[in-house]
Amino acid sequence: MSAVTLAESDTQVVRGGCPHDCPDACSTRVTVERGRATRITGDPDHPFTNGFLCAKVNRYLERTYHRDRLLHPLRRVGRKGTGSFVSVSWEEAIDEVAERLGEIARSADGPQAILPYSYAGTMGLVQGASMDRRFFHLLGASKLDRTICSMPGTIGMRMTVGANIGADGEGLPQSDLVLLWGTNTLTSNPHLWPFVLEARKNGARILGIDPIRTRTMEQCDEWLAIRPGTDAALALAMMHVMFDEGLEDRDYLERYTLGADELRTRVLEYPPERVAPITGLPAERIRELGREYGRARAAFIRVNYGLQRHYGGGMAVRTIACLPAVAGHWRRAGGGVQLSTSGTFQYNNAALQRLDLSPPTRTINMIRLGDALGNADAGVGGPPVRALVVYNSNPAAVAPDRNAVVRGLMREDLFTVVLEHFQTDTADYADIVLPATTQLEHWDLHYSYGHVYATLNQPAIEPLGEAKPNTEIFRLIGRRMGITHPVLADDDVTIIKQALDSPHERMRGVTFDALRERGWMRLNVPRPFVPYAEGNFPTPSGKCEFVSARLGEMGIDPVPTYTPPLELPETAPELAARFPLVLISSPRHYFLNSTFVNIESLRKNAEPECVLHAADAERRGIAEGARVVVFNARGEFTAVARVGDQVREGVVWAPSIWWAKLAPDGANANATTSQRETDMGGGPVFYDNLVEVALAD
Ligand SMILES: Nc1nc2c(c(=O)[nH]1)N[C@H]1C(S)=C(S)[C@@H](COP(=O)(O)OP(=O)(O)OC[C@H]3O[C@@H](n4cnc5c(=O)[nH]c(N)nc54)[C@H](O)[C@@H]3O)O[C@H]1N2
Ligand SMILES: Nc1nc2c(c(=O)[nH]1)N[C@H]1C(S)=C(S)[C@@H](COP(=O)(O)OP(=O)(O)OC[C@H]3O[C@@H](n4cnc5c(=O)[nH]c(N)nc54)[C@H](O)[C@@H]3O)O[C@H]1N2
Ligand SMILES: [Mo]
């Protein structure tokens, strides 16, 4: 079966890829009948997709053809935030955007007063990070530091093993111990699950480490209900036990690591007895875990991004990433740590984004959007932000400290443009809304952060209504502003070919023609990929760096340590006296961040929920089903209480990320989260968040 591009007659099957922000980056097949997509399935030949799609993307056609799809450009007529708009022509819309951006660029504040705001609505390189970047670079706009998800862990990995390259999920069946550590695999990485089950069939025990008994923890052989933000202490204690009991791999340490002596000295400070009260796990269980790990031959640790959403998140990932080097598990397929596989991909980002075209300009951390849109002394520096161009993101729902974000979006003197599929919380504050195409309607090229296959997405149907790809929208705005640089003229297929034009060995054979024919290609790495079997760490020393000079230069402890959260009773006793519970607002199974919240079959008449431990609920007189308010000094939202033993005491869970406007009170969990930054990479501290819960009525 060979792929086709645009299907107008008969029935055709078009190869594509899921665009959403998820490690699985599935390969899809879309059936098109007389120009209309009628079926979407996972590619049965793709080793990772395995022929199935998740609960959400199974509904992708419902989303694409949803009656609320934005099909025409809109101009705001009512007050900001009220969502009153009228349709305008593309010409009018582009004229207005070009004029307003041009005016600001030429003013005394200059182009830095314009801020692009995007994240991973699509992970596609074309619709996510090509023409948009070229346009803003040529314009000289402020740059956006895209930290909202993965930066602390990414830096933690980089400083330890050298890159976001880790154990290959396809090696999992060969592992003899699996640690699902701060990952809700069945929800956020479901295509890894068949490999986990394979490992279990081959005799591996599956352990889960999470403050919440998620559906993933339910399926583990054991759930270790750790206190939030204390994972580094647990890892240090495990290494303490391994060194203490001679379970370390001396040969691996000697050949392939830097600073084993310093690490050995450091972990002496973390015996299980000291770490027990920090983590809330029994000392004997910690000791046993160290032994189990040390005695295993190839333990697979899946850490995901959940556990790095605390102040010490970078150090936590770094410390966990030391475990397989101490035990020597990197030697074998199935052994090691996986945070992400994204570093394995080496597309030609320089050609895609053309950073070289950007003049010196300021960079704004996206998690500080509230500050950036606020008053001048909020600390981001430079001229005020006078225009905001949002695409592939819904900051009014997903950014921390959303009350500050919304205050900023309400500014009458802020010109806001939103490129979207739907009238989201953010689009309600736009001056101009521009309708964007979905994955079924445009070209794209994908990497993955959970496997090592490149994916090409071919358009299956014509754009709905007047929707246009992001690339085309930026081309139009640029042209209308008189920007004539030839890189703005490249079409989407040309951009894909530019991205594939990479000299890197791992990209050899990954060509446009091959992708067009098959839909996906494994990168040029062995299967399974065992990257550090013989060292070869892409660090400055070529070794796994237990001592990192680079971290030292950043003023961070160069040796793995435990960096406590900002908001725990022991670190912030006064705050904890008022707000004693840690709120984790991790994804709801049927949502993808804030995407799919407006799809009725996935929202299922649900309301925002808050899951409490029975003891915490009882103390507050809260019964199952009661309406509660979750609050701290930053803000509040209401939810329906769920009471039981699904979370550890002291922790509450608000499955997220709700569209505020679809919640009864017009708020969501980000009313309570803060704009503070993590230890490494300036990431968010979404789950490092003390709150109180009370009956609402
Ligand atoms: N269905 C669905 N899938 C998704 C997403 C989605 O929204 N919905 N989002 C996608 C995105 S953008 C990302 S980044 C990934 C995220 O993927 P994950 O990292 O798996 O996502 P989270 O659910 O944020 O966090 C995982 C688990 O970490 C736990 N956790 C929180 N704090 C701690 C801690 O301090 N220690 C430990 N050990 N555990 C902790 C949470 O309770 C949660 O169960 O998933 C992607 N996949
Ligand atoms: N409280 C709390 N907050 C969180 C998190 C959490 O766990 N808890 N998770 C955080 C994480 S991990 C992440 S990654 C961020 C995610 O934040 P975002 O990347 O903003 O993700 P979404 O909320 O899914 O919003 C993406 C938007 O892009 C739009 N979109 C999709 N494709 C296209 C396209 O081709 N063109 C255009 N123009 N638009 C498109 C979608 O319709 C959607 O509205 O949220 C973060 N915020
Ligand atoms: Mo994310």
Side-chain angles (χ1 to χ4, degrees), residues 150-167 303 305 313-315 317-322 330 336-340 532 537-539 544-545 550 680:
S150 61
M151 280 317 283
T154 298
I155 308 280
M157 286 298 279
R158 201 176 287 159
M159 296 302 146
T160 311
V161 301
N164 244 338
I165 299 177
V303 275
Y305 289 107
M315 191 57 89
V317 169
R318 160 164 169 72
T319 305
I320 292 168
C322 293
W330 285 122
V337 167
Q338 183 192 77
L339 174 70
S340 164
Y532 311 128
F537 290 93
T539 53
C544 177
E545 297 197 347
R550 291 180 296 173
M680 299 177 199

Side-chain angles (χ1 to χ4, degrees), residues 21-23 54 56 119-120 149-150 181-190 209-212 214 217 224 226-231 303-310 449 584-594 653 656-657 687:
D21 189 350
C22 168
C54 67
K56 308 165 301 296
Y119 200 62
C149 175
S150 61
W181 196 333
T183 169
N184 188 1
T185 316
L186 278 168
T187 287
S188 58
N189 183 195
I209 307 175
D210 196 310
I212 301 172
T214 58
M217 295 301 109
L224 297 167
I226 195 167
R227 291 181 72 225
T230 65
D231 304 274
V303 275
N304 211 326
Y305 289 107
L307 72 70
Q308 45 107 68
R309 306 199 199 293
H310 300 269
Y449 58 99
I584 295 179
S585 52
S586 59
R588 199 177 128 81
H589 187 69
Y590 295 99
F591 297 164
L592 193 293
N593 299 322
S594 80
W653 182 31
S656 291
I657 306 171
Y687 307 161

Side-chain angles (χ1 to χ4, degrees), residues 106-303:
R106 287 185 304 270
S107 75
D109 291 324
Q112 290 191 68
I114 300 167
L115 179 67
Y117 198 94
S118 74
Y119 200 62
T122 168
M123 299 281 292
L125 297 170
V126 178
Q127 305 307 334
S130 68
M131 200 50 81
D132 54 318
R133 306 296 159 95
R134 296 175 186 188
F135 167 74
F136 289 112
H137 291 156
L138 287 165
L139 189 61
S142 285
K143 290 202 182 77
L144 187 73
D145 197 2
R146 291 175 172 82
T147 57
I148 201 165
C149 175
S150 61
M151 280 317 283
T154 298
I155 308 280
M157 286 298 279
R158 201 176 287 159
M159 296 302 146
T160 311
V161 301
N164 244 338
I165 299 177
D168 182 351
E170 287 179 71
L172 245 173
Q174 296 172 57
S175 75
D176 54 352
L177 176 69
V178 180
L179 270 63
L180 302 178
W181 196 333
T183 169
N184 188 1
T185 316
L186 278 168
T187 287
S188 58
N189 183 195
H191 291 80
L192 190 68
W193 196 252
F195 297 95
V196 173
L197 292 181
E198 195 75 16
R200 174 182 273 160
K201 211 171 73 195
N202 295 338
R205 256 169 72 77
I206 318 294
L207 305 182
I209 307 175
D210 196 310
I212 301 172
R213 199 179 68 228
T214 58
R215 64 176 70 213
T216 305
M217 295 301 109
E218 297 268 6
Q219 296 299 317
C220 289
D221 296 312
E222 187 181 346
W223 169 44
L224 297 167
I226 195 167
R227 291 181 72 225
T230 65
D231 304 274
L234 178 60
L236 291 163
M238 289 167 69
M239 291 190 269
H240 175 103
V241 173
M242 283 153 65
F243 280 119
D244 192 38
E245 304 193 2
L247 297 171
E248 76 275 28
D249 182 332
R250 296 223 172 116
D251 180 64
Y252 195 92
L253 286 171
E254 204 156 296
R255 282 175 202 252
Y256 305 130
T257 72
L258 187 72
D261 290 340
E262 287 87 339
L263 181 66
R264 188 188 291 266
T265 306
R266 173 57 54 83
V267 302
L268 284 176
E269 299 167 30
Y270 291 90
E273 287 67 27
R274 180 179 166 216
V275 166
I278 298 175
T279 56
L281 302 172
E284 209 27 60
R285 184 65 195 96
I286 298 173
R287 184 171 316 265
E288 197 46 44
L289 182 63
R291 287 180 186 142
E292 275 172 274
Y293 187 84
R295 287 178 189 148
R297 293 189 73 252
F300 190 100
I301 301 179
R302 179 48 161 136
V303 275

Side-chain angles (χ1 to χ4, degrees), residues 20-21 63 119-122 127 148-149 309 391-395 397-399 419-422 424 436-438 442 470 585-587 592-595 656-657 659 669-670 673 686-687:
H20 290 296
D21 189 350
R63 182 177 189 275
Y119 200 62
T122 168
Q127 305 307 334
I148 201 165
C149 175
R309 306 199 199 293
Y391 55 101
N392 304 343
S393 186
N394 184 11
V398 308
L419 286 61
E420 252 301 347
H421 298 152
F422 290 104
T424 57
T437 45
T438 70
H442 57 224
N470 291 344
S585 52
S586 59
L592 193 293
N593 299 322
S594 80
T595 305
S656 291
I657 306 171
W659 282 21
N670 279 322
T673 54
F686 286 118
Y687 307 161

Side-chain angles (χ1 to χ4, degrees), residues 468-490:
K468 292 184 192 295
N470 291 344
T471 43
E472 181 60 14
I473 298 175
F474 287 111
R475 270 182 215 111
L476 289 171
I477 302 171
R479 202 175 304 148
R480 185 67 189 78
M481 289 180 77
I483 302 173
T484 55
H485 199 287
V487 297
L488 273 194
D490 292 337

